[in-house]
Amino acid sequence: MKKLLIILCAGLLAACSDFLEPKSQSEYIPREAAALNEMLLGNAYIQAAGGDEVMNLLLMFDDDIMCSDSAGAINTMVMTGDNFLLLEKLYAWQPDIFIQEGSLMYQSPWDWFYSYILGANAALDYIDGVSGTDDEKNIVKAQAFALRGYYYFQLVNMWGAPYNYDKKALGVPLKVTSALEAKELPRNTVEEVYTQILADLNEAEKSYEKLPKEQQYRKDYRTSLPMVQLLKSRVYLYMEDWKNAAIYAQKVIDDWDFMLIDLNSLPQKTTAQPYYNFISQDCSEVIWVFGKIDKFVNLVKQEMIFPDPYKPGQNLETNFFNASSGLLDAFKAGDLRKENYIVRSPYTDSKDNQHLGGYAPYGKFAVNYAHEPISNTNFAHAFRLAEAYLNLAEAAALDKDEKTAKQALETLLEKRFVPGTVSVTETGNALIERVRLERRLELCFEGHRWFDLRRYGMPSITHEWKSNGQVIKRYTLKEKDPFYTWPIPQDVMEENRKLVQNPLPEVRN
């Protein structure tokens, strides 16, 4: 008998009095599908969990972020010593990023993803034995399979080699039951994990398809059939199964009523609403939203203080980390995304042509009059329709279907550029590179870039560490560097003696 719902659902007992039926002093058994559905929200969805939001880390490792060029002192009220040291370790791809204690890395993404998987497993273990209609049971199964598939996709792309590089390499342990037995599990291969991911997403798809159309997608912040289809497209893209990647991207585009936002027709910016919120279910191209803004920004929105050139004797604050010059320079004339997707400092220098602090390494979600994220009430991440067009374009280009690739890319870019300025004339490898460039620009700061760099061949990256706006260190991630597959946290290794550690990267000085 499985004995963990008492742990998962302790916080729900007061709200769901009919959820659990006591069997003993240490064991509770669920009775209704509706209660399991509520348990999923509390224990398997990212935005419902406590602790560090699991997408935070990815931002620190890719080439879309850099230290600010702004001169100024570190805001010690914001940047504590421990946090500062940890941020440098992350930014430098050091092998001991999970050793720091008492700061931003209190728990690693490994811990959190497996805790969410535990919630999904518990729902699947109990769903066939509870009361409820077929629809009530299928909606629980659909969500649990979708979430578990997504979390294993994230885990294997953090701690396993890229699928297209070495699918026989060690990935992560597969745990598909909530039973407390077999606590120590060996690592499955990357290929085995991807097989499980697709199996879960296939089951999620089947469960959703058994539901009435109106229940396959609802604006209720939960997973849905189009979310599963978009994720399948992404998984197939990573596996270089171009035909299936294109098929599922096309399903998202054709079978649902999501619509691309035309950046030419956005509401005029105001002081109260300086940026449009693209990470909202009110946005017509959003399929699923998750993760809180305050968790997402907490890692990178550290601040520096510098004098206000217009008000001598007063200080302004700007971010210690900015969007990288490489990213910003890649936006071409007529592209409206740079000014709408990336939050910009509201202060300019005396020449009025350069923003102090530049562009922040975040955007697309709700910000206030000071261009700072609105915390606690808004989401930080989304599955968006734009990804379906990019998945379709890349898969088609790599499958030698250049007509489809160009059509998909042009359809997207016509909504992103000033009219008459879009041109997709590339062919062959140049077309593939154009699609991948547009993917970088369109999906910046949404958790895609680090994973994309892995499947693009793990290129070399250099990060400059700055103090007072001056470069004091340069850190280089070499091509195919071991850090492209993260070190497993030491506490995880100690708890599971069957785990084999990944090759550790060298200490970077």
Side-chain angles (χ1 to χ4, degrees):
M1 185 69 69
K2 302 163 185 69
K3 301 180 179 180
L4 71 105
L5 281 192
I6 186 172
I7 300 171
L8 287 174
C9 307
L12 294 175
L13 287 174
C16 304
S17 59
D18 63 336
F19 180 19
L20 302 172
E21 178 182 285
K23 185 176 178 67
S24 71
Q25 290 184 345
S26 62
E27 185 176 339
Y28 288 86
I29 304 299
R31 295 189 303 169
E32 296 182 357
L36 279 178
N37 195 20
E38 291 304 308
M39 186 273 290
L40 280 176
L41 190 62
N43 293 280
Y45 276 89
I46 290 177
Q47 71 266 23
D52 290 332
E53 202 273 307
V54 293
M55 297 288 284
N56 284 350
L57 285 180
L58 299 178
L59 182 64
M60 295 300 298
F61 303 132
D62 62 37
D63 54 354
D64 286 347
I65 191 171
M66 72 176 193
C67 285
S68 173
D69 289 326
S70 297
I74 297 296
N75 185 347
T76 56
M77 296 294 292
V78 176
M79 182 84 81
T80 65
D82 285 345
N83 284 354
F84 190 78
L85 291 173
L86 177 61
L87 285 168
E88 185 175 3
K89 286 184 178 183
L90 298 174
Y91 192 68
W93 309 286
Q94 297 290 14
D96 59 344
I97 59 169
F98 296 112
I99 294 178
Q100 189 83 9
E101 296 180 357
S103 58
L104 296 171
M105 287 297 295
Y106 177 68
Q107 283 189 297
S108 74
W110 182 290
D111 299 311
W112 284 111
F113 277 127
Y114 275 107
S115 73
Y116 303 143
I117 288 169
L118 187 65
N121 284 342
L124 293 171
D125 284 345
Y126 284 93
I127 189 60
D128 289 332
V130 299
S131 64
T133 66
D134 287 344
D135 285 355
E136 288 175 326
K137 292 183 179 181
N138 281 324
I139 196 66
V140 171
K141 290 180 180 179
Q143 292 174 87
F145 279 121
L147 291 168
R148 190 171 73 184
Y150 177 59
Y151 298 145
Y152 273 123
F153 176 78
Q154 294 294 119
L155 279 166
V156 77
N157 278 284
M158 292 174 177
W159 281 285
Y163 184 94
N164 62 352
Y165 177 68
D166 186 3
K167 63 184 179 181
K168 299 299 183 182
L170 292 177
V172 294
L174 287 172
K175 183 101 165 51
V176 293
T177 174
S178 61
L180 294 181
E181 293 84 2
K183 181 178 180 181
E184 293 187 343
L185 294 172
R187 298 172 67 183
N188 293 83
T189 67
V190 169
E191 185 176 30
E192 289 169 339
V193 178
Y194 268 82
T195 298
Q196 182 64 51
I197 292 166
L198 286 179
D200 282 348
L201 297 181
N202 288 337
E203 289 299 320
E205 187 176 25
K206 291 176 185 177
S207 296
Y208 273 121
E209 288 175 341
K210 293 176 182 178
L211 295 168
K213 181 72 172 181
E214 63 272 12
Q215 293 188 43
Q216 293 174 0
Y217 172 75
R218 294 187 291 194
K219 290 187 177 183
D220 59 0
Y221 308 107
R222 294 177 183 252
T223 63
S224 65
L225 181 53
M227 174 268 182
V228 170
Q229 292 169 337
L230 183 55
L231 182 53
K232 287 185 76 171
S233 174
R234 189 188 303 179
V235 172
Y236 282 125
L237 190 71
Y238 281 41
M239 296 174 71
E240 298 188 346
D241 182 341
W242 312 129
K243 285 183 169 33
N244 274 314
I247 287 170
Y248 278 94
Q250 198 74 63
K251 282 178 178 288
V252 176
I253 294 167
D254 293 343
D255 295 354
W256 304 96
D257 295 328
F258 305 107
M259 294 185 297
L260 293 170
I261 293 290
D262 189 344
L263 300 190
N264 293 282
S265 303
L266 289 178
Q268 187 170 355
K269 294 183 178 183
T270 65
T271 301
Q273 295 181 314
Y275 288 90
Y276 184 82
N277 187 3
F278 296 92
I279 312 298
S280 164
Q281 294 217 249
D282 293 331
C283 177
S284 65
E285 61 184 60
V286 165
I287 298 168
W288 183 45
V289 290
F290 60 99
K292 293 296 186 182
I293 285 179
D294 57 340
K295 300 292 185 184
F296 178 74
V297 176
N298 192 38
L299 202 68
V300 296
K301 195 182 183 316
Q302 310 297 335
E303 294 175 342
M304 300 176 70
I305 299 174
F306 56 91
D308 184 343
Y310 299 106
K311 298 179 181 179
Q314 296 191 30
N315 292 327
L316 300 176
E317 293 184 347
T318 187
N319 295 331
F320 182 74
F321 291 103
N322 284 356
S324 71
S325 56
L327 172 66
L328 298 175
D329 291 344
F331 290 98
K332 303 304 181 185
D335 192 337
L336 301 172
R337 290 174 295 187
K338 181 178 177 180
E339 298 299 329
N340 286 289
Y341 282 4
I342 309 177
V343 171
R344 195 173 185 181
S345 167
Y347 306 109
T348 59
D349 65 8
S350 57
K351 297 179 181 179
D352 201 33
N353 61 9
Q354 178 182 348
H355 279 229
L356 291 172
Y359 291 79
Y362 53 79
K364 300 192 181 88
F365 44 58
V367 297
N368 61 21
Y369 68 94
H371 296 195
E372 296 176 341
I374 300 173
S375 298
N376 302 319
T377 58
N378 295 92
F379 293 93
H381 304 287
F383 278 38
R384 297 192 297 124
L385 180 62
E387 185 194 345
Y389 283 96
L390 291 163
N391 291 355
L392 175 58
E394 185 173 350
L398 285 157
D399 202 30
K400 311 302 182 185
D401 182 1
E402 294 191 352
K403 179 180 178 181
T404 297
K406 289 182 178 182
Q407 287 177 342
L409 192 58
E410 286 174 349
T411 300
L412 172 64
L413 297 183
E414 284 170 358
K415 302 293 185 181
R416 303 321 197 210
F417 277 70
V418 172
T421 61
V422 173
S423 176
V424 181
T425 60
E426 296 88 348
T427 60
N429 289 334
L431 177 59
I432 296 169
E433 291 306 311
R434 174 69 187 279
V435 172
R436 289 177 170 177
L437 172 62
E438 299 300 343
R439 182 180 181 89
R440 179 186 187 184
L441 302 179
E442 176 66 32
L443 301 178
C444 62
F445 308 126
E446 294 187 54
H448 292 270
R449 183 62 177 170
W450 176 248
F451 289 175
D452 283 342
L453 289 172
R454 283 164 41 89
R455 66 187 181 91
Y456 294 163
M458 299 176 280
S460 179
I461 305 172
T462 296
H463 279 171
E464 295 180 336
W465 188 255
K466 300 176 184 178
S467 176
N468 204 32
Q470 299 297 313
V471 176
I472 58 173
K473 298 177 185 177
R474 284 185 175 88
Y475 297 110
T476 297
L477 185 72
K478 297 180 296 185
E479 182 179 0
K480 294 180 174 56
D481 193 285
F483 192 91
Y484 269 109
T485 302
W486 290 354
I488 297 175
Q490 187 59 37
D491 63 332
V492 173
M493 295 289 296
E494 292 172 358
E495 291 173 1
N496 185 353
R497 292 166 294 179
K498 292 185 178 181
L499 292 179
V500 176
Q501 180 62 276
N502 285 322
L504 296 177
E506 62 187 23
V507 176
R508 297 172 224 276
N509 298 313

